[in-house]
């Protein structure tokens, strides 16, 4: 199973208030078909960037060229690494890498949420939901970031709140 899937793209589309696009899987590649032009776009990251162009969120990629480049790198990281984090050995490695990256940052690219944070939130939700309280404590920076992200109702949509109640650690 992959975490960068059609459901993830649909959630991103909803978050960006972009009318739904037709999405399909074809040999492990997601393809989006623009309904007005019938143009096909392939690839998870490319489809996300197309959704951004059709949204009113002009700075969701970042407010400057450096942040935009970093955001695109995080999108690629999500496709290449996080996509397979549902395999336990991959999941631990990804969580360790993210924990290091978020050590000194509120969000992936600094102090402002970008599409990379939004995408990663949706891709990691099922992983974070399955972690024990002790595992969440091991990845304290990822847990802080994730808990912060999930507080936005528009972002969370119908996803369950993941508990980070520290009292369970001390019982």
């Amino acid at each position: 199973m992959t975490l960068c899937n059609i459901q993830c793209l649909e959630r991103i589309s909803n978050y960006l208030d972009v009318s739904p696009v037709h999405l399909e899987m074809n040999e492990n590649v997601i393809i989006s078909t623009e309904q007005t032009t019938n143009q096909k776009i392939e690839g998870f990251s490319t489809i996300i960037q197309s959704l951004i162009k059709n949204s009113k969120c002009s700075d969701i990629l970042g407010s400057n060229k450096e942040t935009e480049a970093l955001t695109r790198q995080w999108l690629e990281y999500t496709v290449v690494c996080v996509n397979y984090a549902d395999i336990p050995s991959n999941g631990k490695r990804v969580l360790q890498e993210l924990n290091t990256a978020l050590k000194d940052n509120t969000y992936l690219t600094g102090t402002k949420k970008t599409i990379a944070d939004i995408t990663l939130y949706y891709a990691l939700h099922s992983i974070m939901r399955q972690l024990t309280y002790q595992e969440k404590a091991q990845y304290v920076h990822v847990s802080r970031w994730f808990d912060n992200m999930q507080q936005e109702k528009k972002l969370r949509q119908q996803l369950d709140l993941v508990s980070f109640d520290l009292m369970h650690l001390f019982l």
Side-chain angles (χ1 to χ4, degrees):
M1 185 176 139
T2 60
L3 300 175
C4 297
N5 54 32
I6 289 175
Q7 189 177 32
C8 186
L9 285 170
E10 288 170 343
R11 287 190 173 115
I12 293 167
S13 176
N14 287 339
Y15 180 81
L16 294 174
D17 293 323
V18 175
S19 50
V21 293
H22 176 72
L23 299 167
E24 61 186 70
M25 285 293 283
N26 188 1
E27 297 181 22
N28 291 331
V29 175
I30 300 175
I31 300 173
S32 168
T33 306
E34 294 280 335
Q35 293 177 350
T36 54
T37 63
N38 218 23
Q39 178 186 11
K40 292 189 184 287
I41 302 169
E42 290 186 21
F44 188 81
S45 182
T46 308
I47 293 170
I48 289 173
Q49 293 180 59
S50 173
L51 291 171
I52 292 168
K53 286 179 186 173
N54 294 325
S55 79
K56 293 182 172 95
C57 304
S58 58
D59 66 342
I60 199 79
L61 262 175
S63 55
N64 58 51
K65 296 291 183 192
E66 183 181 342
T67 305
E68 281 184 32
L70 196 52
T71 299
R72 284 187 170 93
Q73 284 179 330
W74 277 112
L75 286 174
E76 288 306 312
Y77 175 84
T78 302
V79 171
V80 173
C81 299
V82 178
N83 196 21
Y84 304 101
D86 54 344
I87 299 168
S89 60
N90 291 346
K92 287 182 180 185
R93 181 183 45 78
V94 164
L95 289 172
Q96 287 170 345
E97 290 170 356
L98 290 172
N99 203 53
T100 301
L102 290 164
K103 180 180 177 189
D104 297 322
N105 291 318
T106 305
Y107 298 103
L108 292 170
T109 61
T111 58
K112 191 170 180 202
K113 177 176 59 183
T114 65
I115 193 66
D117 295 286
I118 294 161
T119 303
L120 194 60
Y121 168 78
Y122 291 131
L124 284 179
H125 187 274
S126 62
I127 303 296
M128 296 302 290
R129 191 178 64 220
Q130 294 173 2
L131 293 179
T132 66
Y133 290 105
Q134 289 79 12
E135 289 171 321
K136 290 173 191 168
Q138 279 183 306
Y139 308 112
V140 67
H141 303 298
V142 174
S143 294
R144 171 194 39 81
W145 167 84
F146 190 90
D147 193 34
N148 179 45
M149 292 292 292
Q150 75 176 351
Q151 299 309 313
E152 184 184 350
K153 255 186 176 175
K154 181 181 179 186
L155 177 66
R156 194 172 65 244
Q157 299 176 29
Q158 290 84 27
L159 294 172
D160 295 331
L161 271 171
V162 175
S163 176
F164 292 90
D165 186 1
L166 293 178
M167 291 305 291
H168 288 90
L169 294 176
F170 303 109
L171 294 178

